Amino acid sequence: MTREEFEGLVSEALDRIPPELTRLMDNVAVFVEDEPPPDDPELLGLYEGTPLTERGEWYAGVLPDRISVYMGPTLRLCRREGGDRELVVEEVEITVVHEIAHHFGIDDERLHALGYG
């Protein structure tokens, strides 16, 4: 899968987020990266920022939160599981929802319980 195709899948996953949720997202940017930080080579996605639930009066003039979706580990995971393009689509969607949920202040434990682990 090319990077452009993968970026398209991330874009499609973002488009499937309900509009009532995307309207609440604030000061966040989504990026596709080839690989995660070297200390966590299997990481599929990462949210960096201040969740909406933790923002207060002090939150102004800051750089956008950052959601990164990592192409390399996602494709390797799907290949190991013998998956095809449909598995990649599913993993990308799970990763995008997972990281957006962090933006809303939802922790990993709750996400795993909901099936977005």
Side-chain angles (χ1 to χ4, degrees), residues 14-26 100 104:
L14 288 167
D15 288 344
R16 285 191 291 276
I17 302 295
E20 56 271 16
L21 291 179
T22 57
R23 279 193 294 272
L24 297 173
M25 292 173 64
D26 182 46
I100 287 174
F104 283 100

Side-chain angles (χ1 to χ4, degrees), residues 3-14:
R3 182 180 177 93
E4 290 165 352
E5 290 171 315
F6 191 85
E7 288 173 350
L9 295 181
V10 171
S11 180
E12 291 169 14
L14 288 167

Side-chain angles (χ1 to χ4, degrees), residues 84-99:
D84 56 7
R85 187 178 193 284
E86 290 307 311
L87 183 58
V88 177
V89 169
E90 182 180 323
E91 284 300 329
V92 166
E93 187 164 326
I94 289 169
T95 301
V96 167
V97 169
H98 183 106
E99 302 312 328

Side-chain angles (χ1 to χ4, degrees), residues 2 4 8 14 16 18 24 26-27 36 38 41 43 45 47-48 67 80 85 89 101 104 111 116:
T2 68
E4 290 165 352
L14 288 167
R16 285 191 291 276
L24 297 173
D26 182 46
N27 200 32
L43 190 64
Y47 169 75
E48 299 171 284
I67 291 174
R80 277 194 310 272
R85 187 178 193 284
V89 169
F104 283 100
L111 286 167
Y116 289 98

Side-chain angles (χ1 to χ4, degrees), residues 14-62:
L14 288 167
D15 288 344
R16 285 191 291 276
I17 302 295
E20 56 271 16
L21 291 179
T22 57
R23 279 193 294 272
L24 297 173
M25 292 173 64
D26 182 46
N27 200 32
V28 62
V30 179
F31 298 91
V32 170
E33 302 288 344
D34 291 330
E35 295 294 333
D39 62 329
D40 200 353
E42 298 303 311
L43 190 64
L44 303 183
L46 180 65
Y47 169 75
E48 299 171 284
T50 304
L52 294 174
T53 54
E54 296 178 16
R55 295 180 184 180
E57 296 171 5
W58 58 269
Y59 188 86
V62 299

